Amino acid sequence: MPDSAVQEKALLDKPRLTREQIAQRAALELPDGAYVNLGWGIPNLIANYLPKEITVYFHSENGILGMGRRARPGEEDYDLIDAMKVPVTLIPGASIFHQADAHLMTRGGHLDVAVLGSFQVSEKGDLANWKIPGAKGSGGIGGAMDIAAGAKKLIVCMEHVARDGAAKIVKKCTYPLTGLACVDTMVTDLAVIDVMSEGLVLREVARGWTPEEVQKLTGAPLTTKGRVPEIHLPRVLPGLLEEK
Amino acid sequence: MPDSAVQEKALLDKPRLTREQIAQRAALELPDGAYVNLGWGIPNLIANYLPKEITVYFHSENGILGMGRRARPGEEDYDLIDAMKVPVTLIPGASIFHQADAHLMTRGGHLDVAVLGSFQVSEKGDLANWKIPGAKGSGGIGGAMDIAAGAKKLIVCMEHVARDGAAKIVKKCTYPLTGLACVDTMVTDLAVIDVMSEGLVLREVARGWTPEEVQKLTGAPLTTKGRVPEIHLPRVLPGLLEEK
Amino acid sequence: MKKKVYSSLDEVVADVPDGARVMFGGFGGAGFPNNLIQALVRKGVKNITAISNNCGTRDGELGLMFKHNQIKHVIASFPGPHANHFQERFAAREVTLELVPQGILCERMRAAAAGLQGFYTTVGVGTEVADGKEERVLDGKRCILEMPIHADYAFIKAQKADELGNLTYRLAARNFNPIMAMAANTTIAEAEELVPVGSINPVHVMTPAIFVHRIVQAKGLHYAG
Amino acid sequence: MKKKVYSSLDEVVADVPDGARVMFGGFGGAGFPNNLIQALVRKGVKNITAISNNCGTRDGELGLMFKHNQIKHVIASFPGPHANHFQERFAAREVTLELVPQGILCERMRAAAAGLQGFYTTVGVGTEVADGKEERVLDGKRCILEMPIHADYAFIKAQKADELGNLTYRLAARNFNPIMAMAANTTIAEAEELVPVGSINPVHVMTPAIFVHRIVQAKGLHYAG
């Protein structure tokens, strides 16, 4: 099993889930009524793919609970933005509070689910998502460490393998850590993987992929519990959140 | 110098300030614009004796800043009470907040002045005001320890000597402590005394009393800085707060 | 989606087990969840650890639970001179008490709410409150280590609630309620008024819905003590 | 009584000395005290320690102060990809940086505000953030000790202010402002609107007057970044 370098180049050319599809699959992990924080990148796309029959309440670390869709052109209010500085709207029943209360929610175990992007995740669920070793500039932590430490369930959405072919799911993170043993589930362009006390459990694989192939692109051992089904993506209903 | 028992019984029969007069004198210690918390007993009388030309803002640890006069009969709202459960009113510009923020104010050094009653005060400014040794029942601390720890200036109002003749101003408290080295000034029925790094400094004495006589009823050494003037009480204007 | 609004007081407390740790809002007669307390009395739960500023006013507030000997341990700042039922149980050693300075009581609950594992304070240094606690000097000041207070339930009293769980409080009936709402695993609010979702201005919400798990409308029960 | 309302931006920052520790409210473009920042730029103070979530957006927000090399040290959670003036100074080692997780930044300021001397948190354990910090196990969890962040000044942005200093904030422009208002020795608020005392409902005051030492009306300066 490769720790970081991937031997079989051929695998890298097989079709995978798009970023939108990763978000779509991750959306199915959100239970009805959940309070949810979505991080930068792929996680932020999840709001577009919520199943119609469920309601979730989006939290933003700058002090919003109950964020709605993004503001339409002309509707923007720059005092009402999400953590990515994007003007948003509020749903009925939303609330506004200060940043300390916003992070009391993240750190205090009040969020049901948080979804973050990541550079690496270890087999123990260690998260490394804030800094690329050797990158120039100051870097920035933002709310990720508080969220990682406190969410009841932490889901990571990311590509399974880095652009250079290196495994992102590893035995031990080599990137600067965000938090220890905090990731519960990974949704990648190849698989859904749960971090369990016994190690990484492969729950689903992308269409056309076998567990063995996914293992070859994974830097830590995967176990399975019986047959591993393919990732099932419901019919895409883009702009669902828009209609609510 | 007596530590607790008072030798000269005759002194105990000399006229002293009343509780109302102690409050009246203590009111003069409040600077214009100050944020002030008044404790149970004599301190609570101070609001009636504020000089007309100054405005102070009263804080209550149950989450009120800008308490006004007590509610008049028929005007009582039992959701708007002070820390003594007495229905009060609000002045214009008042604010309401939760108990944690109320004590963030007490403990965090935001109150300009707090005035508390006490059983004993030591020459180092240690305060003992929450529990009588041997008293039956559970006792109760309330907000006193947070207030003692955090007020910029802590004034104690009390009778100079206990009913049994024991000194209440002592070298070392024998009652359970509320806080260490926290008292700045004492206003008693006999004197105004400042707790300084060099010890207790007698600032004023009650009319008809000499510094030597006050010393005899005090369980710790008093020093003076030159002549010690008599306590001057301005003409009483009862109900002043009512008119504001 | 699981509804937060319950139709009866008895239903909303039905699963509170014997031995539960319960926070009770209120201060000096204002903001006590008296209707929920009465429901606990009807249910007859035992061996409760109660976290509350006061211990009741005669039969009012927590008084009724002490009268029926339902509480075995109290964490409080000021049990109160009129908490006669508590005082009798306490004298008879049927109830134990941890006395906590009022602001520290708030902060220990807030630490639990905020996912903090403990904090240092100068409050209580050199007093009985410091007994058995770690002491150290930080930034030149003597401090003691205070630990979070967690609870299974918070019973709180709100003025308005929407069905998502957003709350407001009336005047100084706010007191401990917002802090306890954040600190417990299950927060149950009795609200004077149920209002439509969206009718509370988002910037005026005093307790966001995320902290509130159950709501029951109840109005009118008042103890002047 | 000393008036809190100042008539000009330059007057309200006139006594800010070189080397001061200053908190700046705002997050992601909302709630930044841009008018006060511009006044500090005009005044030309140097060697400021800035405590702020971000480090500016090009010339906007704190960007202007970095452009003029007025800041020597920053405590921030997310300097930001468009904080080019900061990044240039940082690369040139003209500015030092302490990176703090965003919620811990809030809590450390709140600890200063609340008179707490430090707290334990699991946030940052095992990461660079823990370097040099005391670590211990509390309640079975690895924690690090975080210390309060104090400041000489807090520069904040309010929507409404009355002349006593009661404040409200507009929507998510609230963010760090109420926390910083409580944490500094001298809090200076720029308010879009001055309103009569008594016109803010006491239960809707977001920052009570006790925390606000100076107020100046300023409206309109906006950086979309």
Side-chain angles (χ1 to χ4, degrees):
Chain A
M1 182 186 354
D3 203 308
S4 64
V6 169
Q7 268 75 39
E8 311 198 21
K9 285 279 183 196
L11 282 177
L12 296 175
D13 298 328
K14 285 188 68 168
R16 312 176 189 192
L17 271 59
T18 63
R19 288 163 59 88
E20 295 282 343
Q21 287 172 321
I22 296 172
Q24 197 184 353
R25 175 61 190 84
L28 301 178
E29 298 288 306
L30 306 184
D32 191 22
Y35 296 97
V36 177
N37 183 288
L38 301 180
W40 290 46
I42 299 173
N44 202 243
L45 304 171
I46 290 174
N48 297 324
Y49 295 104
L50 283 178
K52 196 158 196 160
E53 64 277 13
I54 76 162
T55 306
V56 304
Y57 301 99
F58 290 111
H59 167 274
S60 184
E61 51 264 49
N62 56 331
I64 307 175
L65 193 68
M67 270 195 306
R69 58 172 175 75
R70 293 181 166 194
R72 300 202 177 94
E75 191 188 28
E76 301 95 337
D77 182 334
Y78 287 90
D79 283 342
L80 186 61
I81 53 175
D82 66 12
M84 277 134 278
K85 302 178 72 162
V86 176
V88 293
T89 58
L90 299 178
I91 66 168
S95 52
I96 303 269
F97 33 87
H98 60 53
Q99 204 104 8
D101 277 352
H103 276 296
L104 180 151
M105 294 178 191
T106 66
R107 204 177 39 241
H110 303 281
L111 291 178
D112 296 299
V113 184
V115 192
L116 297 176
S118 191
F119 301 130
Q120 289 184 327
V121 175
S122 85
E123 62 181 347
K124 295 197 188 310
D126 296 347
L127 175 72
N129 82 341
W130 73 278
K131 192 177 180 182
I132 298 173
K136 73 189 179 90
S138 68
I141 297 169
M145 287 194 185
D146 297 271
I147 292 169
K152 282 182 202 148
K153 177 168 182 169
L154 180 60
I155 299 173
V156 162
C157 287
M158 62 179 184
E159 279 93 16
H160 203 93
V161 172
R163 290 206 186 127
D164 64 359
K168 298 180 70 170
I169 302 170
V170 294
K171 279 181 167 297
K172 196 167 160 29
C173 294
T174 54
Y175 280 40
L177 288 170
T178 308
L180 299 177
C182 52
V183 178
D184 295 290
T185 294
M186 287 171 267
V187 180
T188 76
D189 48 0
L190 294 187
V192 179
I193 296 170
D194 293 316
V195 183
M196 311 290 278
S197 53
E198 66 267 30
L200 301 178
V201 177
L202 184 63
R203 193 181 349 145
E204 297 173 17
V205 292
R207 175 166 298 183
W209 287 74
T210 64
E212 294 71 27
E213 289 172 328
V214 171
Q215 176 67 77
K216 284 180 182 164
L217 297 184
T218 305
L222 302 172
T223 59
T224 58
K225 299 190 167 175
R227 197 185 71 81
V228 180
E230 281 185 352
I231 291 173
H232 174 74
L233 294 178
R235 200 157 48 86
V236 178
L237 296 168
L240 201 75
L241 197 67
E242 297 282 331
E243 295 163 21
K244 284 205 177 173
Chain B
M1 181 189 353
D3 201 309
S4 64
V6 170
Q7 268 77 40
E8 308 198 24
K9 286 279 182 194
L11 283 177
L12 297 176
D13 297 329
K14 285 188 69 168
R16 312 175 189 193
L17 270 60
T18 63
R19 288 163 59 87
E20 295 282 343
Q21 288 172 320
I22 296 172
Q24 196 184 352
R25 176 60 190 84
L28 302 177
E29 298 289 305
L30 306 184
D32 192 22
Y35 296 97
V36 177
N37 182 288
L38 301 179
W40 291 46
I42 299 172
N44 201 241
L45 303 171
I46 290 174
N48 297 324
Y49 295 104
L50 284 177
K52 195 158 196 160
E53 63 278 13
I54 78 162
T55 305
V56 304
Y57 301 97
F58 289 111
H59 167 275
S60 184
E61 51 263 50
N62 55 331
I64 307 174
L65 192 68
M67 272 196 304
R69 59 172 174 74
R70 293 181 167 196
R72 299 202 179 94
E75 192 187 27
E76 301 95 337
D77 182 335
Y78 287 91
D79 283 343
L80 186 60
I81 54 176
D82 66 13
M84 277 136 277
K85 302 178 71 160
V86 176
V88 293
T89 58
L90 299 177
I91 66 168
S95 53
I96 302 271
F97 32 86
H98 60 54
Q99 204 104 7
D101 277 352
H103 276 296
L104 180 152
M105 293 178 192
T106 65
R107 204 178 39 241
H110 304 280
L111 292 177
D112 296 299
V113 184
V115 192
L116 297 175
S118 192
F119 301 130
Q120 290 184 327
V121 174
S122 84
E123 62 181 346
K124 295 198 186 311
D126 297 346
L127 174 72
N129 82 341
W130 73 278
K131 191 178 180 183
I132 298 174
K136 72 190 179 89
S138 66
I141 297 168
M145 286 192 186
D146 296 272
I147 292 169
K152 281 181 205 150
K153 177 170 183 168
L154 181 59
I155 299 174
V156 162
C157 288
M158 63 179 182
E159 279 93 16
H160 203 92
V161 172
R163 287 204 189 129
D164 65 359
K168 297 181 70 170
I169 302 169
V170 294
K171 279 181 166 298
K172 195 168 161 29
C173 294
T174 54
Y175 280 40
L177 288 170
T178 307
L180 299 176
C182 52
V183 177
D184 295 291
T185 295
M186 289 172 268
V187 179
T188 75
D189 49 359
L190 294 187
V192 178
I193 296 170
D194 293 317
V195 183
M196 310 291 277
S197 54
E198 67 267 30
L200 301 178
V201 177
L202 185 63
R203 185 167 14 130
E204 296 173 18
V205 292
R207 175 164 301 181
W209 288 73
T210 65
E212 295 70 26
E213 289 171 329
V214 171
Q215 176 67 78
K216 283 179 180 164
L217 297 184
T218 305
L222 301 172
T223 59
T224 58
K225 299 190 169 176
R227 196 186 70 82
V228 180
E230 282 187 352
I231 291 172
H232 173 73
L233 294 178
R235 200 158 47 85
V236 179
L237 295 169
L240 200 74
L241 196 66
E242 297 282 331
E243 293 163 24
K244 283 206 175 172
Chain C
M1 198 173 78
K2 191 159 174 279
K3 292 253 186 230
K4 293 184 178 179
V5 178
Y6 285 59
S7 56
S8 87
L9 288 157
D10 294 320
E11 186 193 355
V12 84
V13 305
D15 69 349
V16 178
D18 289 355
R21 289 171 66 89
V22 186
M23 294 171 173
F24 295 92
F27 178 99
F32 281 92
N34 285 317
N35 292 283
L36 288 171
I37 291 169
Q38 297 243 324
L40 275 191
V41 171
R42 284 195 297 276
K43 182 171 155 61
V45 288
K46 295 285 181 195
N47 295 321
I48 295 296
T49 290
I51 299 132
S52 184
N53 189 64
N54 310 117
C55 291
T57 304
R58 290 177 279 274
D59 280 9
E61 302 139 21
L62 286 185
L64 212 53
M65 290 187 72
F66 286 108
K67 186 176 183 179
H68 290 93
N69 208 12
Q70 296 179 277
I71 296 174
K72 69 165 182 196
H73 182 60
V74 185
I75 303 173
S77 102
F78 196 80
H82 303 297
N84 55 301
H85 294 302
F86 161 77
Q87 294 292 355
E88 283 162 24
R89 300 283 176 196
F90 181 73
R93 299 178 185 233
E94 292 168 346
V95 179
T96 54
L97 168 69
E98 181 185 358
L99 265 185
V100 180
Q102 196 175 93
I104 298 305
L105 180 60
C106 295
E107 287 298 318
R108 289 177 62 190
M109 293 189 288
R110 188 186 175 280
L116 304 177
Q117 275 64 45
F119 60 87
Y120 288 104
T121 178
T122 59
V123 175
V125 167
T127 78
E128 290 181 12
V129 163
D131 288 351
K133 290 175 185 159
E134 174 186 314
E135 183 179 322
R136 71 191 286 182
V137 174
L138 284 173
D139 194 26
K141 299 191 186 82
R142 287 174 64 187
C143 306
I144 53 176
L145 177 61
E146 292 282 4
M147 300 297 283
I149 297 176
H150 294 270
D152 302 310
Y153 293 88
F155 281 23
I156 64 167
K157 159 78 183 286
Q159 179 179 19
K160 295 180 185 179
D162 69 23
E163 67 177 28
L164 298 183
N166 291 299
L167 305 182
T168 66
Y169 307 94
R170 194 163 170 273
L171 298 169
R174 190 181 314 193
N175 57 59
F176 284 88
N177 286 296
I179 302 301
M180 292 176 172
M182 301 192 294
N185 293 337
T186 300
T187 293
I188 307 179
E190 64 168 81
E192 293 189 7
E193 220 181 314
L194 277 178
V195 299
V197 170
S199 65
I200 305 173
N201 184 333
V203 303
H204 294 155
V205 169
M206 297 176 190
T207 291
I210 193 171
F211 298 121
V212 180
H213 307 93
R214 303 178 193 171
I215 305 148
V216 62
Q217 190 179 3
K219 195 181 159 75
L221 187 60
H222 194 81
Y223 291 98
Chain D
M1 198 173 76
K2 190 159 175 279
K3 292 252 186 234
K4 293 184 179 180
V5 179
Y6 284 60
S7 56
S8 87
L9 287 157
D10 294 318
E11 186 194 357
V12 84
V13 304
D15 69 349
V16 177
D18 288 356
R21 288 171 66 89
V22 186
M23 292 170 174
F24 296 92
F27 178 99
F32 281 92
N34 285 318
N35 292 284
L36 289 172
I37 291 169
Q38 297 242 324
L40 276 191
V41 171
R42 284 195 297 275
K43 183 172 154 61
V45 287
K46 295 284 180 195
N47 295 321
I48 295 295
T49 290
I51 300 134
S52 184
N53 188 64
N54 310 117
C55 291
T57 304
R58 290 176 278 275
D59 279 9
E61 303 140 18
L62 287 186
L64 212 53
M65 290 187 72
F66 288 108
K67 186 176 183 177
H68 291 93
N69 209 11
Q70 295 179 278
I71 296 176
K72 67 164 184 198
H73 182 60
V74 185
I75 304 174
S77 101
F78 196 82
H82 303 297
N84 56 301
H85 295 301
F86 161 76
Q87 295 293 355
E88 283 161 25
R89 300 283 175 196
F90 182 73
R93 299 178 185 233
E94 291 168 347
V95 178
T96 53
L97 169 68
E98 180 185 359
L99 265 186
V100 180
Q102 195 176 94
I104 299 305
L105 181 61
C106 296
E107 287 298 318
R108 289 177 62 190
M109 292 189 288
R110 188 186 174 279
L116 303 178
Q117 274 66 43
F119 60 86
Y120 287 105
T121 178
T122 60
V123 175
V125 167
T127 77
E128 290 181 14
V129 162
D131 289 352
K133 289 176 184 159
E134 174 187 314
E135 183 179 322
R136 71 191 287 181
V137 174
L138 284 173
D139 194 25
K141 301 190 185 82
R142 287 174 63 188
C143 305
I144 53 176
L145 177 62
E146 292 283 3
M147 301 297 283
I149 297 176
H150 294 270
D152 302 310
Y153 294 87
F155 280 23
I156 64 169
K157 159 77 183 288
Q159 179 180 21
K160 294 182 184 179
D162 70 22
E163 68 177 29
L164 298 183
N166 292 298
L167 305 182
T168 66
Y169 307 94
R170 194 165 169 271
L171 297 169
R174 191 181 314 192
N175 57 59
F176 284 89
N177 287 296
I179 303 300
M180 292 176 171
M182 302 190 294
N185 293 337
T186 300
T187 293
I188 307 179
E190 64 168 81
E192 293 189 6
E193 220 181 313
L194 275 177
V195 300
V197 171
S199 65
I200 305 173
N201 184 334
V203 304
H204 294 156
V205 169
M206 296 176 192
T207 291
I210 193 171
F211 298 121
V212 179
H213 306 94
R214 302 178 193 171
I215 305 149
V216 63
Q217 190 178 3
K219 194 180 162 73
L221 187 59
H222 194 81
Y223 291 98

